[in-house]
Amino acid sequence: MTIHKTRMLILGSGPAGLSAAIYGARAGLKPIVVQGIQPGGQLMTTTDVENYPGFADVIQGPWLMEQMQKQAEHVGTTFHYDIITDVDLSRRPFRLTGDGGDVYEADTLIIATGAQAKWLGLDSERELAGKGVSACATCDGFFYRGRKVVVIGGGNTAVEEALYMTNHSPDVTLIHRRDSLRAEKILQERLFANERISVLWNKTVEKFVAGGSPEGLVGLDLKDTRTGEHSYVACDGAFVAIGHSPATELFQGQLALDEGYITVVPGTSRTAIPGVFACGDVMDKHYRQAVTAAGTGCMAALDAERFLAAAEFAAKRAEAA
């Protein structure tokens, strides 16, 4: 067993975690990043990225994360390929244990474990991911300008995605497995009032259909949940919008959660435990963008730096007294 001691431990290596690492390292805190199950976060499975500031041309998600990691390493961040299996936040330094037995003791902890989009679980969905099938209209909707698209789901996320897609597409179809939506009433009113949106009720997706050259999504095979009748809808893009699952299992019972997301003091990254901070999609249920994740990662590092400075000042004052 190896014990790693650090003033700043960061869990997660997506845009939030890496931004926190860059700011923490530049402050001389020599942060350690534990990369987790998916090093690089969700952008490692994203091909074309067109909405991250600073790049005139389309860039690749994995390349962007590689560059962010190199930048973090260059300024003094250490990376560990480990998965945390146990967390003790009852006292400082916080104590975390990896699946290989290594122990991490940290004066501050930044949680940037992210959230994963929920998928339908179809083989065809996985095969066509990035080829017409997406879980983020805000990220990928621009690529479907003037084309027919569908949005799958019935909650706030699905309705918001459908409304957003009307900025790009003149023909948006919302597909829902029930005969009524779960979304907030004000969102439903906006949806039903939008002439660009139609709704297919009581339908589940049986298969995402591939075709064309180069091969990509051309339509969906559907099944009626009441009659069992099969149907087909042609489309150029499909957005699965059935929610997200924040990676917060480790913190249940230790941190306050809201629908699974870590609760922070509004306008900050501070959690209810002094010295513990959260950033990125693990605490953001609304925006879920790489650029907003990076921004909150910066906030978390600055909040942690100020926390450490205040704690050290208080300790020196106590010694002098």
Side-chain angles (χ1 to χ4, degrees):
M1 180 185 74
T2 303
I3 298 179
H4 308 278
K5 296 185 178 183
T6 180
R7 301 183 72 195
M8 177 185 287
L9 181 66
I10 301 168
L11 301 188
S13 53
L18 294 182
S19 296
I22 291 167
Y23 275 82
R26 285 176 55 84
L29 299 178
K30 299 180 179 179
I32 292 176
V33 171
V34 177
Q35 295 194 288
I37 294 175
Q38 187 178 24
Q42 294 186 70
L43 277 182
M44 295 301 290
T45 60
T46 302
T47 52
D48 293 345
V49 176
E50 202 171 27
N51 57 1
Y52 198 88
F55 302 96
D57 297 321
V58 176
I59 59 174
Q60 300 298 300
W63 177 86
L64 177 61
M65 301 319 300
E66 177 187 352
Q67 295 301 305
M68 290 182 73
Q69 178 169 335
K70 287 181 177 179
Q71 183 179 2
E73 289 174 327
H74 177 72
V75 292
T77 301
T78 300
F79 285 81
H80 286 236
Y81 294 94
D82 203 349
I83 299 171
I84 299 299
T85 57
D86 185 70
V87 176
D88 182 1
L89 305 181
S90 62
R91 61 185 182 277
R92 292 182 59 238
F94 307 116
R95 188 178 177 90
L96 297 87
T97 306
D99 65 353
D102 280 12
V103 172
Y104 301 84
E105 293 185 351
D107 294 327
T108 59
L109 173 64
I110 294 178
I111 303 169
T113 47
Q116 294 291 329
K118 294 179 182 178
W119 296 90
L120 300 176
L122 302 173
D123 290 340
S124 57
E125 176 184 54
R126 184 175 63 255
E127 292 164 1
L128 288 172
K131 300 177 182 179
V133 178
S134 169
C136 181
T138 312
C139 309
D140 301 327
F142 186 74
F143 299 113
Y144 298 91
R145 300 184 302 277
R147 303 166 74 181
K148 178 177 174 57
V149 300
V150 301
V151 177
I152 302 157
N156 284 354
T157 299
V159 173
E160 288 168 352
E161 299 264 272
L163 289 167
Y164 173 80
M165 282 308 302
T166 61
N167 296 318
H168 303 296
S169 170
D171 189 348
V172 179
T173 300
L174 182 71
I175 299 172
H176 186 40
R177 60 182 177 175
R178 298 189 176 93
D179 59 4
S180 61
L181 300 175
R182 303 187 313 276
E184 296 173 358
K185 291 299 182 184
I186 185 65
L187 289 174
Q188 293 191 41
E189 291 173 4
R190 290 174 57 197
L191 179 92
F192 296 137
N194 196 308
E195 296 180 352
R196 292 189 168 197
I197 301 175
S198 58
V199 181
L200 289 178
W201 301 105
N202 302 302
K203 298 289 189 296
T204 58
V205 179
E206 294 276 279
K207 183 180 180 180
F208 294 88
V209 181
S213 180
E215 187 173 76
L217 181 74
V218 295
L220 278 67
D221 286 335
L222 306 177
K223 181 179 180 180
D224 192 289
T225 57
R226 296 173 304 176
T227 66
E229 180 183 356
H230 292 272
S231 59
Y232 174 82
V233 57
C235 63
D236 301 300
F239 296 92
V240 181
I242 56 176
H244 289 73
S245 297
T248 54
E249 296 85 356
L250 278 172
F251 310 104
Q252 291 180 3
Q254 298 194 68
L255 289 172
L257 304 178
D258 178 13
E259 297 180 7
Y261 293 84
I262 295 176
T263 301
V264 297
V265 176
T268 78
S269 65
R270 300 196 307 271
T271 71
I273 297 178
V276 178
F277 308 88
C279 56
D281 288 5
V282 77
M283 49 73 73
D284 172 21
K285 68 174 71 172
H286 299 294
Y287 301 105
R288 296 191 294 268
Q289 299 299 300
V291 67
T292 53
T296 58
C298 164
M299 292 167 57
L302 295 177
D303 286 342
E305 178 190 0
R306 290 165 184 165
F307 171 84
L308 287 170
E312 290 168 4
F313 179 78
K316 289 179 181 179
R317 175 184 285 180
E319 289 178 6

